[in-house]
Every structure is written in C-alpha cells, then in structure tokens.
C-alpha cells in the first residue's frame, strides 16, 4: 500500500466506555477505511482510560491517561498519529485541540467549538498558527440531500431567499435527570457545557444548517431562552428570530423539553421561485415545490439527484442512509484534505467541510442568544 493509500493514523481524546458520541466517531471513521484508530486518551479518569483502551484493542503504550502526554509522545513517534478526534465535553475542546495543533497534528473536533466565546478566540489563534487541518463535526452538513439543497440555492433554483425556518426539538431533558446520567449531567452544567444549554447542544446544529444551505450571512437576532425544569442552570428551550444581511428573515426553535420529539431537526427554505423542506429523521427525502406547481419529492440517489456528490452516498436509492453516514462523510472529506496536503495538492471542489469559521459563528450565535434573552429579547448584533 502506498503512502497515499494507507489509512490515516487516528487518535481520540474522550469517547471512552459508555460515551455515546465517541462510538459514533469511531464507526464513522471506519466506514470508508480512511482512518485507523491507534491511540487514545479516552477518559480523564486513568483507570477508565486504560480500560477503554483495552476494550478497543489499543496497545497499552498508546493508551494515555491525559491528552497532553498523548500529544507530546505521539508527535515524537515515527508512526505517531496524524489526526486526532476530540469528543469530550465542550470545556475541554480548546485545551486539547491546542496541544495537537501546535504539534502539527490535524484536529477533528466535536461541536460546538468550545464552551465560551473567550475560549473560542483562543482556539482561533491556535488554528491560525498551525499548518494542521481543523474540522468541526457539524455532521448534518454531510447528508447528500443537504448538499443538493445547498447546490439548488447556489444555482438559483429557489430564487432570492426570503424566509428560513429551522427547528431542532428533543424531549430527553423534559424532567430533571439523575446525577449518574453522564450525558445529561455535563450538558446541564454550565461549567462544562457553557452558558448555552439547548442553544449550544442542538441550537448550533440548527443555526449551522440554515447558514450552510442558504449561504446567508446572519446579522442580528432576538432570543427568548427558557429553563423550564426547576433548578436547571442552562436553557432547555429557545425561540430565536434572525435577520440576514441579504434581507431574508428566519426563525429558529430548539428544545430539549418537547415530549414526542427525538431528534426532529427540520429545515424549510422559501425563495422567490420555490421552497424546500427537509427533516433529519427521514433524511433520504426532500420536498421541493416550485411556485404554482405540484410538490416534488427528491430522494437520495434517486431521480432528480443532480447535485448530490457521488462520493457521499454509498447505497442505491431506496436503501436508507442517515446519521452514521453523515458523520462518515465529514471524515471522508477530512481524509481527502489530509491526503491532498501530503502532496501539496488542492482537495476537490465538492469538499465542504465545516471548520473554524463555522465554529466561531456558532459561538457568536450562543453568546448573542444569551445576551438578547437577558435584555428581554432585545435585538443584538452577531458581529
């Protein structure tokens, strides 16, 4: 196998035993055979880090008790990691990413960028000083129909964009959760999640998706944030109105206290010529309605699939693809960029990886929502 063809050596920070998103990243990285997990600092607890490394088949000397030790040693090894996936709670993102970036190791980081805007600015400095690639895993941008929707906007199929409606309701935090619920405990702790609760956890996904598909520039917003569950220190529901520099208007709703909703991310975009509607829970179908004409159903890899890059779909039309494949497409394009960098080439034009810019936009969104809500939902700038 040539240097270009061999799997990229991958490390992971976080994602140990019982961690949900770490397993998702590992599956996504393996789907196309582009990455080989060879090292990890999988938990802040040494005993759990070692047990997690053993469970994943990592060599004992490549299983680390902390990410700094991992970054230092792996950078010195001849066959050390080339990229690292950071899948920790938000407050660890900046410190971990900085250790790897300054040693030239590519970073694939879970969203949001960090837990605070101040840390996000430090992260930005680290990214700008490094020659390494920085990728933020806004995985919904990897869905083939989302890429097609983006192309339709660029091609003018929708005309001038006027209205953007995006929502992401869940129900899993409708009641207070026990302390031993790891996924809930850190997400509802402002010291680890940041000041934004639902806005940071899922609102950033909705905000990113709206901007990714439409290409619009968010200019200002007004937000009404709630913490409905007694004692909760972060928001669990948010209603946000958006103004875009191009003249379009938008509305965003995110909630983790909406019974009957699991992961109901939904996007609707209306222009002067037509409208589109897409939902994450049935991601292989998109409604497209030219004004005055019957609604058309566009399907992944089906008739009318123009604009869906072939490399982002793996099964024939009618066979469902979804969450894991969307994540895998982020890893696939990250691999393409890493491989292109080895030879000084440009990655192909279809690559649309979210990175620092999208991460900073998400952090400004959270910060603006909190500021607006604290001022009785006043309009605030996103700049």
């Amino acid at each position: 196998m040539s240097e270009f063809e061999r799997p990229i050596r991958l490390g992971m920070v976080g994602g140990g035993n019982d961690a949900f998103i770490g397993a998702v990243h590992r599956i996504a990285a393996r789907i196309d055979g582009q990455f080989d997990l060879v090292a990890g600092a999988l938990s802040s607890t040494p005993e759990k880090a070692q047990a997690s490394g053993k469970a994943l088949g990592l060599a004992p000397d490549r299983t680390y008790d902390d990410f700094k030790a991992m970054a230092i040693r792996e950078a010195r090894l001849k066959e050390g990691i080339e990229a690292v996936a950071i899948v920790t709670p938000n407050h660890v993102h900046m410190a971990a990413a900085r250790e790897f970036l300054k040693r030239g190791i590519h970073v694939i980081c879970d969203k949001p960028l960090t837990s605070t805007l101040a840390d996000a600015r430090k992260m930005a400095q680290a990214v700008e000083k490094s020659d390494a690639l920085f990728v933020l895993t806004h995985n919904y941008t990897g869905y083939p129909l989302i890429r097609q929707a983006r192309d339709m906007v660029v091609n003018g199929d929708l005309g001038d964009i006027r209205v953007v409606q995006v929502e992401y309701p869940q129900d899993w935090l409708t009641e207070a959760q026990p302390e031993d619920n790891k996924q809930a405990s850190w997400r509802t702790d402002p010291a680890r999640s940041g000041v934004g609760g639902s806005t940071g956890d899922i609102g950033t996904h909705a905000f990113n998706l709206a901007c990714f598909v439409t290409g619009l520039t968010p200019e200002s917003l007004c937000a009404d944030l709630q913490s409905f569950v007694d004692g909760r220190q972060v928001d669990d529901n948010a209603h946000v109105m958006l103004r875009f520099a191009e003249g379009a208007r938008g509305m965003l709703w995110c909630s983790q206290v909406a019974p009957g909703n699991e992961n109901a991310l939904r996007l609707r975009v209306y222009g002067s010529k037509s409208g589109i509607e897409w939902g994450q829970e049935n991601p292989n179908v998109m409604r497209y309605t030219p004004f005055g004409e019957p609604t058309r159903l566009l399907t992944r890899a089906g008739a009318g699939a123009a604009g869906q890059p072939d490399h982002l779909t793996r099964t024939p039309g009618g066979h469902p693809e979804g969450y894991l494949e969307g994540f895998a497409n982020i890893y696939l394009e990250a691999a393409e960029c890493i491989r292109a960098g080895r030879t000084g080439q440009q990655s192909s034009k279809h690559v649309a990886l979210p990175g620092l810019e999208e991460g900073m936009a998400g952090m400004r969104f959270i910060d603006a929502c909190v500021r607006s809500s604290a001022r009785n939902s006043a309009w605030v700038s996103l700049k």
Side-chain angles (χ1 to χ4, degrees):
M1 180 178 291
S2 71
E3 176 71 9
F4 188 82
E5 294 172 335
R6 65 169 176 77
I8 295 163
R9 296 183 296 275
L10 179 69
M12 180 168 283
V13 176
N17 292 345
D18 303 323
F20 160 69
I21 204 65
V24 171
H25 278 258
R26 289 191 290 270
I27 294 169
R30 290 198 304 266
I31 282 179
D32 296 298
Q34 297 293 318
F35 291 88
D36 183 16
L37 183 67
V38 297
L42 302 168
S43 174
S44 58
T45 304
E47 296 80 9
K48 187 173 180 179
Q50 294 299 320
S52 299
K54 183 177 181 180
L56 292 174
L58 299 181
D61 65 341
R62 307 291 291 277
T63 302
Y64 300 87
D65 292 345
D66 69 84
F67 60 76
K68 185 172 183 178
M70 174 178 165
I72 292 172
R73 183 168 184 269
E74 290 294 322
R76 293 172 178 169
L77 292 175
K78 182 179 179 181
E79 296 293 316
I81 62 171
E82 300 162 274
V84 64
I86 298 175
V87 295
T88 65
N90 305 343
H91 71 295
V92 181
H93 290 181
M94 186 276 293
R98 188 162 57 183
E99 291 296 332
F100 292 93
L101 287 168
K102 69 183 181 182
R103 293 175 173 86
I105 296 171
H106 307 293
V107 170
I108 301 170
C109 184
D110 211 13
K111 48 55 59 190
L113 188 62
T114 57
S115 60
T116 68
L117 190 54
D119 271 359
R121 294 189 177 111
K122 294 176 184 177
M123 178 83 89
Q125 292 175 352
V127 173
E128 289 162 0
K129 289 179 182 178
S130 177
D131 292 330
L133 177 71
F134 180 84
V135 177
L136 196 69
T137 54
H138 273 299
N139 58 297
Y140 301 113
T141 65
Y143 284 66
L145 279 170
I146 287 298
R147 294 294 180 91
Q148 178 162 351
R150 177 182 166 108
D151 284 347
M152 291 170 70
V153 171
V154 170
N155 294 336
D157 295 340
L158 276 67
D160 296 328
I161 304 302
R162 294 172 171 172
V163 178
V164 183
Q165 301 270 5
V166 63
E167 62 184 52
Y168 198 158
Q170 299 175 332
D171 66 3
W172 71 292
L173 294 179
T174 295
E175 297 179 345
Q177 298 296 305
E179 286 297 319
D180 61 357
N181 184 330
K182 178 180 176 180
Q183 298 305 316
S185 63
W186 78 258
R187 283 177 170 84
T188 55
D189 177 7
R192 290 181 286 173
S193 68
V195 293
S198 66
T199 49
D201 193 26
I202 56 177
T204 49
H205 270 312
F207 179 74
N208 171 263
L209 194 67
C211 296
F212 180 83
V213 169
T214 66
L216 297 175
T217 306
E219 193 170 56
S220 58
L221 63 75
C222 70
D224 184 18
L225 310 185
Q226 298 82 36
S227 300
F228 281 116
V229 174
D230 289 342
R232 185 162 288 164
Q233 299 179 67
V234 295
D235 64 83
D236 50 27
N237 187 84
H239 296 86
V240 185
M241 294 178 63
L242 296 160
R243 290 175 178 167
F244 296 94
E246 296 81 359
R249 294 294 184 263
M251 292 179 64
L252 183 153
W253 171 48
C254 62
S255 181
Q256 292 175 313
V257 294
N261 289 283
E262 294 176 328
N263 280 283
L265 175 60
R266 182 184 181 197
L267 175 69
R268 290 171 287 172
V269 182
Y270 303 105
S272 56
K273 293 181 180 179
S274 64
I276 54 175
E277 179 179 338
W278 177 87
Q280 192 274 150
E281 293 185 329
N282 186 16
N284 293 283
V285 177
M286 180 168 65
R287 293 168 61 90
Y288 169 53
T289 310
F291 177 64
E293 299 181 20
T295 295
R296 306 167 189 176
L297 296 182
L298 305 179
T299 59
R300 182 200 57 79
Q308 295 179 31
D310 291 339
H311 75 294
L312 297 185
T313 185
R314 296 166 181 80
T315 60
H319 294 278
E321 289 185 0
Y323 186 71
L324 292 173
E325 291 86 357
F327 252 108
N329 287 335
I330 300 296
Y331 273 89
L332 180 65
E333 292 191 340
E336 180 176 336
C337 291
I338 292 170
R339 294 185 187 285
R342 289 175 179 170
T343 57
Q345 298 177 346
Q346 292 292 321
S347 56
S348 57
K349 64 180 181 180
H350 61 244
V351 170
L353 280 174
L356 177 64
E357 182 179 347
E358 290 78 9
M360 290 300 298
M363 296 306 299
R364 287 192 292 268
F365 165 76
I366 298 168
D367 178 73
C369 285
V370 172
R371 288 189 289 114
S372 171
S373 190
R375 294 171 53 192
N376 197 28
S377 302
W379 284 94
V380 299
S381 173
L382 274 161
K383 296 180 179 178

